[in-house]
Amino acid sequence: MTAERLQKSSRDIVWVCLLALIPNVLAADQAQVPAFLRAEGFGSATPGGRSTGAIAAADLDDSRSGSKADEAEGPRHRVVVSTDIGGTDPDDFQSVVHLLVYADQFDIEGLVSSPYGPGRKAHILQVIDLYERDYDHLRTYSDQYPAPAALRTVTKQGAIEGAGYEGFGAPTEGSDGIVRCTRRDDPRPLWVLVWGGIEDLAPALHDAPDILPKLRVYFSGGPNKKWSVDAYQYIVIHYPPLWIIEANATYCGWFVGRKQEGEWGNQAFVAAHIAGTRPGR
């Protein structure tokens, strides 16, 4: 696999996963789509279900009309990422790198450390330091890349302990940041992408329930759901209309593959195809 093919393949994979954040609307019967997984009772079915609009899955070939390059000129999405980077496994280091390579496509309004385990805000800052090394190079592709200093400003420490039986803890830099971002005078919804613990979203909703209509939440569940069980249960019980995509298994496609030996092993693949290259498209 050439470096050029590898870059294109990686880019297409990232776009597919990002498109998964905004599912297509199912027209007539959409109003009866549950607001969250296995929702029951009052508020379980909300107008608009799990989506407020449709985005066509455009051709990923940037050389043709209707490609992602054309779509990128449409409305930009406001994003806050809550991550357990530096925690129990290295996956979110990879995810934050992917995010920053495509940072020109979004308005990144917050980066929150919400770990299960030892992850902290400092780990996000480490990736921003690496991003800064390639910032000038990335700007040759787009002038929309945010300055490293701006990203550091919006990087916050979130909850480092479980919520406890009550389901929400004291406010954190992260939860306060979610509230401030959502309340901004901006007609666009705020996407909160929860890649780790959900303990910062719970106090944000508790302290400012008025933000609920503008939130769009993507939650990588699975083990994160197990480790955040109290905060998750609090949100399910008290905020059933919350617009949320809960992914408990689909993300496994990122790291469950077939042949992973030889040139396809983690270290060998990086050494052969990635080490020494610079981010670009």
Side-chain angles (χ1 to χ4, degrees):
M1 179 181 290
T2 66
E4 181 179 352
R5 288 183 62 195
L6 174 64
Q7 286 180 350
K8 178 171 177 55
S9 176
S10 298
R11 184 183 180 186
D12 289 356
I13 290 171
V14 171
W15 270 119
V16 169
C17 292
L18 290 174
L19 283 172
L21 302 179
I22 312 168
N24 288 340
V25 178
L26 297 178
D29 61 347
Q30 180 193 6
Q32 298 307 313
V33 175
F36 57 89
L37 187 65
R38 292 187 295 276
E40 298 178 355
F42 175 77
S44 61
T46 61
R50 296 181 185 174
S51 180
T52 57
I55 290 184
D59 189 340
L60 296 176
D61 184 349
D62 287 353
S63 66
R64 294 199 291 271
S65 177
S67 70
K68 292 310 304 176
D70 292 335
E71 185 176 306
E73 297 177 0
R76 293 167 62 86
H77 297 290
R78 305 170 61 214
V79 171
V80 169
V81 173
S82 172
T83 169
D84 60 357
I85 184 173
T88 55
D89 57 56
D91 61 330
D92 275 18
F93 277 108
Q94 300 160 357
S95 298
V96 174
V97 169
H98 276 137
L99 172 71
L100 295 184
V101 169
Y102 288 86
D104 62 321
Q105 302 296 309
F106 307 95
D107 288 338
I108 300 176
E109 299 192 11
L111 297 168
V112 180
S113 170
S114 299
Y116 172 80
R120 294 294 184 269
K121 170 182 172 180
H123 295 104
I124 302 176
L125 296 176
Q126 287 177 12
V127 180
I128 296 175
D129 289 344
L130 298 175
Y131 167 81
E132 186 170 30
R133 295 184 189 180
D134 282 305
Y135 178 65
D136 290 340
H137 178 69
L138 288 167
R139 294 270 295 182
T140 65
Y141 294 92
S142 169
D143 62 4
Q144 295 297 308
Y145 279 99
L151 292 174
R152 293 187 183 102
T153 298
V154 299
T155 300
K156 307 296 182 182
Q157 181 60 57
I160 58 176
E161 301 290 343
Y165 183 75
E166 192 174 29
F168 60 91
T172 66
E173 283 187 353
S175 67
D176 286 344
I178 292 172
V179 173
R180 285 196 302 272
C181 289
T182 313
R183 283 178 169 172
R184 282 181 182 145
D185 185 14
D186 191 315
R188 296 172 296 168
L190 181 72
W191 286 85
V192 179
L193 313 183
V194 183
W195 300 347
I198 204 167
E199 277 82 4
D200 289 294
L201 181 61
L205 285 166
H206 173 268
D207 297 342
D210 59 286
I211 69 175
L212 188 147
K214 289 187 70 174
L215 288 176
R216 305 291 183 268
V217 179
Y218 177 90
F219 178 40
S220 295
N224 294 325
K225 179 178 175 180
K226 177 181 70 175
W227 295 326
S228 296
V229 61
D230 292 315
Y232 175 86
Q233 185 69 5
Y234 170 78
I235 292 172
V236 167
I237 291 174
H238 295 279
Y239 304 97
L242 177 65
W243 197 111
I244 183 170
I245 300 170
E246 180 181 333
N248 290 315
T250 53
Y251 63 87
C252 292
W254 283 95
F255 53 83
V256 177
R258 295 183 180 178
K259 187 177 180 180
Q260 299 184 33
E261 301 82 27
E263 67 171 313
W264 298 105
N266 284 337
Q267 294 182 4
F269 186 86
V270 170
H273 301 291
I274 298 176
T277 64
R278 303 189 72 179
R281 305 183 194 168

